[in-house]
Amino acid sequence: MVQPDDSGKIYSATYSNVPVYEFNVEGNHVMRRRSDDWINATHILKVAAFDKPARTRILEREVQKGVHEKVQGGYGKYQGTWVPLPDGRELAKRNGVLEKMRPIFDYVPGDRSPPLAPKHTTAASNKPRVSKAAAKRAPRKSGPSRLAEDHYDNIGSQLHDEDTPDNTTIDSYEDDEMMHMSQQSTASRKRKRNAIEQTFALSQMDEQHIVYADELLDYFMVSSSEHLAALHKPPEPPMHFAADRPIDEQGHAALHWAAAMGDIAVVKDLIGRGASTAVLSANGETPLMRAVLFTNNFEKQSLPKLIYLLLDTVDLTDYYGSTVFHHIAATTNSRSKYLCARYYCDTIVNKLSENFAAHEITRILDMQDRGGDTALTIAARNGARKLIRSLMGHGASSHLPNRAGETAEQIIIQLNNRRREMHPIASSSPFQPDPDNAKREVSTSGVPTAAAPVSSHRSEAASMLATSFAPVILEKGKKLAEAFDSELVEKESGLEEAKRLRSNMNQELSAVRQQTFTLLTTDDDGPTEQAERDELARLERDSVSLIEQLQRHELHALVRKEESALSPAQQRTTSNQPLNDDQLHEKLQLAAQLLRAQLDRHALVTEVVQNQAVASGLGANDRQPMYRKLIGKCLDIPEGNVEALLPGIAQELEMAKMSDHAMLGAIPSETPS
């Protein structure tokens, strides 16, 4: 690389076996190919101080519409969009950097080559290969993501540095870990790629995967901004793309990133290209687990679609034994994610209820990690009341102890006690201590004194009775209140479950009533059965007539065509020459065959029209007995009486519907927590 203090000089260098002239402009290295005098347009835009999104827009809208060559593989510094030297000069002039770059544009090659660039090294393809034994003996850095580091050392690649976004804060992530992932896509990717390229010679497939991973991460960084998302499309994977191959140092595959970003289109595309929905990261996380750690699917309301694609991984666990519900509960250590966690939990459980039995859902909710914690235990420990209500409402148990013997129920009771201490409720009990007396019982030193309270009773026996019984009654009342609190938690759980069941039953009942009402109104307002049959017969006759006319026209056209094919002599012979007996007999036989063919054709036309009518209205007449049977089963009446009772049934349904609306309007709404 050219040093900054060497600015203004032209050097020679070789990258990916391509000789170039190299020129340093304020730390930006601009390359011009020696073979054809093409210059790197991406380098010109870097000299103009455009950031990654701006460079991409200019290249797409201006540069790549003309003659250009896009280089994506090979050495990182050599990559970019290359254009002819005159086009590059115009690009530099439009962006105000022509004077800075004039030496590289005006340079005329001579007999002698310019000096080599200081500290110049060629691409990895020029380096000797290192044997596997030597590679195994090479020391490696230790760190929290050792599994991912070893994996990347084995595949010999990491993401490029030149075309990655800056370390910009992404607001929609709202999580330090996602920020760490975005930051590693720059400096960390640069260091690792350079180290690997200097040690190993990458295969073409490895290089293509690196380029695609780099472009995909850049796309996710840019698409998080609303005003830039519409200008960028996800990159196209290379041929023979290994969809489950990691693309970052934490071992996350492309599907982990797409799910976490809530990009359903990319998720579908990756699954269509063979990506496994159960692919694991270095920590054993599935894409669904990764998705619930961030708020993108909450902000986009895209989790129902994501669950539909990843439903088969809901019951999987990571290396610590945590399910997706453990991950949801873990996010509640931040109060800003309480609502998001409740949304994720309800959405996943509702989708599970469509495909799993109730006991299977309960089994998944009650799964314990290696520490014995359930998702409910973690939510209770974080004080996430909304998530606690959601999990208990869906049947999660609060009595499962962890390895420390702690249950969710115990944590919930402690949580309620702390809440009462912070927000005490005035008591109407006659044994409530008088705050004035309490103040008088505190000495000047701040320590409560043992002075006897002032008695208002005349006899000593009455005073002793009042002082001895009051503490006992207060203690018993306290224990009774704790028992009430514990029972209230259980009752609230049962009430939430009852409300959920009632809501489901109301939805099913409304659907049945709507279907019945539709059937009744359709039967009353539609044409009679006899009218329908008459109309069908008329349509059949019209269809037969139309087909006959069409075929008659076609037959006449065929006859005229055959006649026109005869020579004039044959026509005169046919029309003027008298027929002998044999010829007359032959014509009679042909006429008879023609008549039979016409009759057969007419019969086939009629049969085709009837079959089409049956196919178009298949089951129309058979549905009425089914409707009668359905109404009879629902209302427990004989099928033969359904016709006569239809008006009364319709009236009863309307009255029941109005009554349900009135009852629902009278139920008070639940006070939000």
Side-chain angles (χ1 to χ4, degrees):
M1 179 183 294
V2 181
Q3 295 296 329
D5 55 0
D6 292 328
S7 179
K9 297 181 181 180
I10 303 297
Y11 294 94
S12 63
T14 302
Y15 299 102
S16 298
N17 292 327
V18 178
V20 297
Y21 299 117
E22 186 172 353
F23 179 59
N24 177 19
V25 184
E26 299 175 352
N28 295 295
H29 304 280
V30 184
M31 296 183 193
R32 169 180 160 185
R33 283 202 298 243
R34 300 177 64 175
S35 60
D36 54 9
D37 274 344
W38 281 38
I39 194 167
N40 195 314
T42 306
H43 296 169
I44 297 174
L45 296 178
K46 287 183 178 181
V47 174
F50 287 109
D51 58 7
K52 169 66 177 179
R55 292 199 304 271
T56 303
R57 289 197 301 272
I58 294 173
L59 290 172
E60 291 177 351
R61 296 179 181 179
E62 301 178 14
V63 178
Q64 294 176 0
K65 290 184 178 181
V67 179
H68 70 282
E69 176 186 350
K70 193 172 184 180
V71 178
Q72 293 181 330
Y75 194 59
K77 289 177 62 178
Y78 180 73
Q79 295 178 20
T81 301
W82 292 77
V83 297
L85 192 62
D87 295 345
R89 184 185 296 271
E90 289 296 325
L91 180 64
K93 183 177 180 181
R94 286 198 303 270
N95 294 282
V97 293
L98 179 59
E99 293 302 323
K100 294 181 181 179
M101 303 178 60
R102 189 171 293 279
I104 191 67
F105 286 114
D106 295 343
Y107 177 74
V108 178
D111 297 335
R112 301 182 62 183
S113 175
L116 288 175
K119 299 184 179 180
H120 167 66
T121 57
T122 59
S125 59
N126 292 335
K127 291 292 182 179
R129 293 176 179 265
V130 179
S131 64
K132 294 184 178 179
K136 292 180 179 179
R137 292 193 299 270
R140 294 177 179 173
K141 297 188 294 182
S142 61
S145 58
R146 177 62 181 273
L147 177 61
E149 293 286 342
D150 292 346
H151 183 68
Y152 274 94
D153 286 337
N154 290 333
I155 66 174
S157 64
Q158 184 49 279
L159 306 178
H160 291 302
D161 63 313
E162 292 296 329
D163 292 326
T164 54
D166 299 331
N167 296 341
T168 308
T169 301
I170 308 301
D171 295 335
S172 63
Y173 295 169
E174 297 182 359
D175 195 282
D176 293 339
E177 186 175 3
M178 180 63 87
M179 288 305 303
H180 170 71
M181 292 171 64
S182 66
Q183 291 170 356
Q184 64 87 26
S185 66
T186 55
S188 177
R189 283 154 48 183
K190 175 180 178 181
R191 290 192 300 268
K192 194 161 188 66
R193 181 187 59 78
N194 288 341
I196 292 174
E197 284 187 344
Q198 293 176 5
T199 307
F200 297 99
L202 302 181
S203 67
Q204 183 178 4
M205 185 178 298
D206 289 337
E207 291 181 354
Q208 291 176 349
H209 178 80
I210 292 174
V211 172
Y212 169 71
D214 192 3
E215 292 178 347
L216 184 64
L217 293 179
D218 290 348
Y219 163 74
F220 285 137
M221 296 300 104
V222 175
S223 63
S224 62
S225 177
E226 294 183 0
H227 67 280
L228 294 177
L231 302 176
H232 295 78
K233 294 182 180 180
E236 189 73 15
M239 294 181 61
H240 310 295
F241 170 60
D244 294 337
R245 187 170 174 175
I247 64 173
D248 63 18
E249 291 187 345
Q250 284 73 39
H252 299 113
L255 191 58
H256 286 94
W257 273 86
M261 297 298 296
D263 199 322
I264 302 300
V266 177
V267 171
K268 291 181 178 179
D269 181 68
L270 290 171
I271 294 177
R273 296 176 184 274
S276 171
T277 57
V279 59
L280 301 180
S281 67
N283 296 328
E285 291 178 345
T286 65
L288 182 58
M289 295 176 188
R290 197 65 187 166
V292 300
L293 295 179
F294 309 103
T295 61
N296 294 302
N297 285 284
F298 174 62
E299 294 167 358
K300 298 179 180 179
Q301 295 292 296
S302 56
L303 190 64
K305 297 180 181 179
L306 186 66
I307 289 296
Y308 176 78
L309 299 171
L310 306 179
L311 184 64
D312 57 335
T313 65
V314 171
D315 58 343
L316 299 182
T317 60
D318 63 7
Y319 294 155
Y320 190 69
S322 301
T323 65
V324 64
F325 293 101
H326 286 86
H327 286 73
I328 294 173
T331 63
T332 58
N333 59 359
S334 172
R335 296 180 63 88
S336 62
K337 293 190 177 180
Y338 281 3
L339 189 60
C340 176
R342 174 69 179 268
Y343 166 75
Y344 284 166
C345 181
D346 288 343
T347 303
I348 296 177
V349 174
N350 290 338
K351 184 60 68 173
L352 286 176
S353 63
E354 300 175 3
N355 300 274
F356 293 84
H359 69 277
E360 283 294 324
I361 300 176
T362 303
R363 180 188 65 82
I364 296 175
L365 293 177
D366 289 341
M367 292 178 68
Q368 297 172 281
D369 59 19
R370 291 185 181 179
D373 287 336
T374 63
L376 180 60
T377 305
I378 298 174
R381 190 177 296 128
N382 292 335
R385 296 179 180 274
K386 293 181 181 295
L387 185 57
I388 292 173
R389 293 192 185 96
S390 176
L391 291 170
M392 296 186 69
H394 293 304
S397 174
S398 61
H399 304 289
L400 298 175
N402 58 14
R403 291 185 178 274
E406 188 179 39
T407 65
E409 183 181 21
Q410 295 172 350
I411 301 175
I412 293 172
I413 293 175
Q414 296 173 4
L415 181 65
N416 291 332
N417 290 338
R418 288 196 302 268
R419 188 175 186 182
R420 282 194 297 271
E421 292 174 359
M422 295 175 61
H423 307 284
I425 302 176
S427 174
S428 59
S429 170
F431 303 107
Q432 180 75 7
D434 185 0
D436 294 334
N437 290 338
K439 291 179 181 179
R440 286 194 296 267
E441 292 175 1
V442 179
S443 66
T444 56
S445 61
V447 180
T449 62
V454 178
S455 176
S456 59
H457 301 283
R458 298 181 61 183
S459 65
E460 183 177 354
S463 299
M464 292 181 61
L465 185 65
T467 56
S468 59
F469 268 76
V472 174
I473 295 176
L474 287 174
E475 181 65 24
K476 296 296 183 182
K478 183 178 180 181
K479 292 182 178 180
L480 182 61
E482 292 178 352
F484 281 151
D485 288 336
S486 177
E487 185 177 0
L488 180 61
V489 172
E490 297 179 0
K491 296 297 183 183
E492 286 179 348
S493 175
L495 180 61
E496 291 290 338
E497 181 65 18
K499 287 181 178 179
R500 186 181 67 84
L501 294 176
R502 179 177 178 274
S503 176
N504 293 339
M505 292 177 63
N506 286 337
Q507 293 178 1
E508 295 176 358
L509 182 60
S510 298
V512 173
R513 287 175 175 172
Q514 183 65 29
Q515 185 179 8
T516 305
F517 181 76
T518 303
L519 295 176
L520 294 176
T521 55
T522 302
D523 187 68
D524 291 341
D525 297 337
T528 63
E529 184 176 354
Q530 185 60 39
E532 290 180 349
R533 291 176 180 175
D534 295 340
E535 178 67 15
L536 178 61
R538 185 186 66 80
L539 292 174
E540 288 180 0
R541 291 194 299 272
D542 293 344
S543 298
V544 171
S545 177
L546 291 173
I547 294 176
E548 288 284 353
Q549 294 178 16
L550 178 62
Q551 292 186 355
R552 186 180 299 112
H553 177 74
E554 292 177 352
L555 289 173
H556 287 170
L558 290 174
V559 171
R560 287 193 298 268
K561 182 178 179 181
E562 291 295 331
E563 290 179 348
S564 63
L566 296 175
S567 64
Q570 291 175 331
Q571 293 180 3
R572 287 194 299 271
T573 302
T574 304
S575 60
N576 299 325
Q577 185 177 1
L579 302 175
N580 56 32
D581 292 341
D582 294 337
Q583 291 175 341
L584 182 61
H585 181 69
E586 182 182 0
K587 283 199 172 187
L588 288 175
Q589 289 181 345
L590 292 175
Q593 293 179 5
L594 179 60
L595 178 60
R596 285 195 298 271
Q598 286 281 23
L599 293 176
D600 292 341
R601 181 189 59 76
H602 180 75
L604 289 174
V605 168
T606 304
E607 183 179 358
V608 167
V609 171
Q610 291 176 351
N611 289 338
Q612 288 179 345
V614 171
S616 61
L618 186 61
N621 297 327
D622 297 336
R623 285 197 293 267
Q624 292 187 2
M626 295 175 62
Y627 295 160
R628 296 191 190 97
K629 184 176 181 180
L630 173 63
I631 297 173
K633 291 292 185 180
C634 292
L635 302 180
D636 196 18
I637 60 177
E639 296 181 22
N641 299 338
V642 171
E643 292 283 349
L645 297 176
L646 283 180
I649 294 173
Q651 185 177 3
E652 287 291 330
L653 289 175
E654 286 295 326
M655 294 178 62
K657 186 175 181 180
M658 295 173 60
S659 175
D660 287 345
H661 284 307
M663 292 178 62
L664 291 174
I667 297 176
S669 60
E670 183 182 358
T671 304
S673 61

